């Protein structure tokens, strides 16, 4: 199963760099993954930012009896972790489930066999556009969501903790470096790559019947969520060595 | 407008469910079967996710705390953040991916293949026979999963604390009881309970009201995933906010 997955991954990478490129398909997928998910992602992340501010203030007061460092820490946490990971988990449940159901029902209704009969490689036709679109829109969504999430954090810290927006931005400039944003973008790209790969993989392996499609969807969502968390851990570790 | 209708329908559905659960005697056998099934299904996923989340929290907190020379507090900080906030949220996300999707797909398939109507024809109440056991099963087993996830996250954090930030296990564990208070654990449990209620309500409702063949089931599953994610995040904020207000009312300004 793991060998099969890496076979799919390798062939996707190989087909990605050889023409034809299917720009139109890629743009359409970006619209589905990035543009249509944006409202949900932005909404959820803004709430997550508010909760982060409240909780960070609680912990800071507990240990150093002072929450004047909360804006800096919270913005660091939002940019490094929250922005990329929560976005990825939300996109997994929305886009990943949708893609797995789509590819799975194509497999069940023998549309993929029909593609093969016509001499079209299903990986080139289905997986590559989704993969490329996933990587691009992972980066876009992470950056957009992080920015709006920071706005939410600014508002929350102003209302809840009484720090002005100016103080927040000053603290952010002291704590956050440009490297952190690049780290978030790299994470976003990795997560965006994982989501379509797993959904298509489980979609291709889908067994017949309505139950098979449901099972493929559930499996792909669970596998992707776990993969996102593990990749996040590995990348955090790697980046923490790169920066110091 | 459509969203308001949906919310109203969920409230009506929950009212029916509450009526059924009050009027009838609960079949404890089916309920415990569901609890075991849900816990068993999500055990490995939750444990794995908890382990890595604990590890991530430790790595991030190390980077932040190290500059202040407060590495001794690392264990307490990471554990406290996990217990209060990240743990329940994570369990809810994992449950919504695994159990929520599965339940709504199962109920949706039953609805479109008219099995639910068949149950009604046989004189049984589908709310009592199908929905209530699943509802209670999800809520109860979320607590078991929370405990598993939290212990695994402490373990993962401890391991990363030793490997990455280089502090002794004793140092890491010593500050956990001083920082993690009973209030934090209670807040984590309440959050977990609220998330489980939200998740169970949405996934059973969406599955129960699915329509339109196999495609309708797929639509129900995807909309369950999106709706639970959004509602869980909003509920997270709401419980934090209300908890804050209550604590301030009782203790004065902290």
């Amino acid at each position: 199963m793991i060998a099969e997955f890496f076979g799919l991954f390798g062939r996707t990478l190989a087909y990605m760099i050889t023409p034809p490129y299917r720009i139109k398909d890629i743009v359409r997928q970006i619209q589905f993954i990035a543009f249509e998910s944006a409202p949900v992602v932005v909404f959820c992340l803004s709430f997550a930012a508010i909760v982060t501010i409240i909780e960070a203030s609680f912990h800071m007061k507990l240990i150093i009896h002072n929450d004047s460092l909360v804006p800096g820490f919270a913005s660091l946490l939002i940019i490094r972790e929250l922005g990329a990971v929560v976005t990825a988990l939300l996109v997994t449940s929305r886009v990943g489930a949708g893609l797995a159901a789509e590819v799975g029902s194509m497999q069940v209704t023998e549309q993929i066999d029909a593609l093969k009969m016509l001499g079209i490689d299903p990986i080139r036709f289905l997986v590559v556009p989704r993969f490329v679109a996933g990587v691009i829109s992972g980066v876009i969504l992470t950056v957009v969501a992080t920015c709006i999430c920071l706005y939410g954090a600014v508002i929350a810290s102003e209302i809840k903790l009484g720090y002005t927006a100016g103080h927040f931005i000053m603290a952010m400039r002291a704590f956050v470096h440009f490297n952190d944003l690049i780290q978030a973008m790299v994470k976003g790209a990795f997560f965006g790559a994982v989501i379509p790969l797993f959904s298509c993989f489980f979609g291709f392996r889908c067994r017949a019947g309505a139950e098979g499609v449901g099972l493929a969807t559930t499996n792909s969502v669970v596998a992707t969520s776990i993969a996102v968390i593990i990749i996040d851990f590995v990348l955090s570790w790697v980046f923490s060595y790169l920066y110091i | 407008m459509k969203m308001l209708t949906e919310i109203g329908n969920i409230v009506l559905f929950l009212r029916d469910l509450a009526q059924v659960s009050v009027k009838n005697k609960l079949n404890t056998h089916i309920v415990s079967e569901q609890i075991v099934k849900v816990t068993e299904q999500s055990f490995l996923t939750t444990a794995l996710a908890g382990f890595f989340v604990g590890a991530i929290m430790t790595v991030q907190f190390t980077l932040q705390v190290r500059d202040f020379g407060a590495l001794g507090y690392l264990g307490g900080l990471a554990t406290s953040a996990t217990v209060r906030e990240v743990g329940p949220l994570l369990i809810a996300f994992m449950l919504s991916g695994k159990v929520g999707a599965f339940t709504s797909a199962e109920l949706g398939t039953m609805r479109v293949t008219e099995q639910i109507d068949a149950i009604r024809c046989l004189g049984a109440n589908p709310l009592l026979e199908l929905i209530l056991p699943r509802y209670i099963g999800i809520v109860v087993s979320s607590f078991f999963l929370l405990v598993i996830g939290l212990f695994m996250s402490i373990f993962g954090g401890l391991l990363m604390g030793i490997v990455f930030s280089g502090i002794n296990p004793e140092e890491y564990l010593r500050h956990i009881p001083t920082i993690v208070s009973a209030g934090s654990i209670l807040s984590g449990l309440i959050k977990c309970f609220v998330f489980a209620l939200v998740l169970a309500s949405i996934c059973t409702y969406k599955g129960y009201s699915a329509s339109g063949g196999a495609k309708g089931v797929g639509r129900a599953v995807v909309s369950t995933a999106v709706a639970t994610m959004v509602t869980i995040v909003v509920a997270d904020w709401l419980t934090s906010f209300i908890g804050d207000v209550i604590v301030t009312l009782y203790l004065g300004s902290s």
Side-chain angles (χ1 to χ4, degrees), chain B residues 131-149:
Chain B
I131 309 290
L132 201 58
R134 283 175 175 73
Y135 197 95
I136 297 174
I138 290 175
V139 173
V140 173
S141 54
S142 76
F143 284 107
F144 297 138
L145 293 171
L146 178 70
V147 172
I148 295 159

Side-chain angles (χ1 to χ4, degrees), chain A residues 73-234:
Chain A
F73 277 158
S75 51
L76 199 62
L77 199 65
I78 287 169
I79 289 179
R80 275 199 187 157
E81 286 292 327
L82 214 63
V85 175
V86 178
T87 307
L89 288 178
L90 288 167
V91 171
T92 301
S93 72
R94 190 183 167 278
V95 176
L99 286 183
E102 189 189 359
V103 176
S105 33
M106 284 177 99
Q107 174 77 34
V108 169
T109 52
E110 297 174 358
Q111 291 177 45
I112 287 180
D113 298 327
L115 281 179
K116 276 185 197 152
M117 282 253 303
L118 291 169
I120 301 170
D121 191 330
I123 292 182
R124 189 188 280 280
F125 187 75
L126 290 174
V127 184
V128 172
R130 285 165 177 73
F131 180 77
V132 177
V135 174
I136 294 173
S137 41
V139 177
I140 296 174
L141 264 183
T142 303
V143 172
V144 169
T146 308
C147 292
I148 293 177
C149 184
L150 283 175
Y151 273 112
V154 169
I155 294 169
S157 71
E158 184 149 3
I159 293 173
K160 190 77 197 156
L161 311 180
Y163 295 127
T164 57
H167 180 214
F168 193 99
I169 290 167
M170 286 289 288
M172 209 169 95
R173 285 190 55 180
F175 275 88
V176 179
H177 306 288
F178 188 66
N179 284 345
D180 293 324
L181 192 63
I182 292 181
Q183 176 179 351
M185 285 162 74
V186 171
K187 276 185 181 173
F190 269 88
F191 298 155
V194 163
I195 293 167
L197 270 182
F198 268 102
S199 341
C200 292
F201 177 66
F202 281 103
F204 281 141
R205 287 165 56 91
C206 182
R207 277 195 303 271
E211 205 169 320
V213 177
L215 208 62
T217 314
T218 316
N219 281 343
S220 87
V221 169
V222 172
T224 318
S225 315
I226 296 280
V228 163
I229 291 175
I230 294 178
I231 288 175
D232 180 46
F233 165 68
V234 173

Side-chain angles (χ1 to χ4, degrees), chain B residues 62-219:
Chain B
T62 305
L63 297 177
Q64 296 192 357
V65 171
R66 187 152 56 192
D67 299 342
F68 298 93
L71 267 183
Y73 283 112
L74 182 66
L77 266 179
T79 313
S80 173
T82 317
V83 169
R84 287 175 60 88
E85 191 57 49
V86 187
L89 206 62
L90 176 90
I91 306 298
F93 274 14
M94 283 294 143
L95 271 182
S96 84
K98 183 115 190 155
V99 180
F102 181 78
T103 309
S104 69
E106 193 185 15
L107 290 173
T109 313
M110 282 183 169
R111 165 63 80 185
V112 283
T113 52
E114 297 175 355
Q115 293 177 43
I116 288 182
D117 299 322
I119 289 177
R120 185 165 279 151
C121 269
L122 291 169
N125 189 345
L127 282 176
L128 179 67
E129 301 290 331
L130 292 176
I131 309 290
L132 201 58
R134 283 175 175 73
Y135 197 95
I136 297 174
I138 290 175
V139 173
V140 173
S141 54
S142 76
F143 284 107
F144 297 138
L145 293 171
L146 178 70
V147 172
I148 295 159
L150 288 184
F151 273 107
M152 283 306 282
S153 80
I154 292 178
F155 181 62
L158 179 63
L159 211 64
M160 260 348 255
I162 296 168
V163 174
F164 179 76
S165 26
I167 61 175
N168 335 337
E170 192 201 348
E171 179 99 23
Y172 188 92
L173 292 175
R174 194 176 61 208
H175 278 287
I176 293 178
T178 58
I179 291 183
V180 183
S181 58
S184 294
I185 296 174
L186 189 69
S187 128
L189 285 179
I190 291 173
K191 274 198 175 165
C192 186
F193 181 64
V194 172
F195 296 161
L197 280 186
V198 164
L199 169 67
S201 312
I202 291 178
C203 72
T204 48
Y205 167 74
K206 289 273 183 192
Y208 192 67
S209 63
S211 63
K215 216 161 194 180
V217 178
R219 230 181 298 128

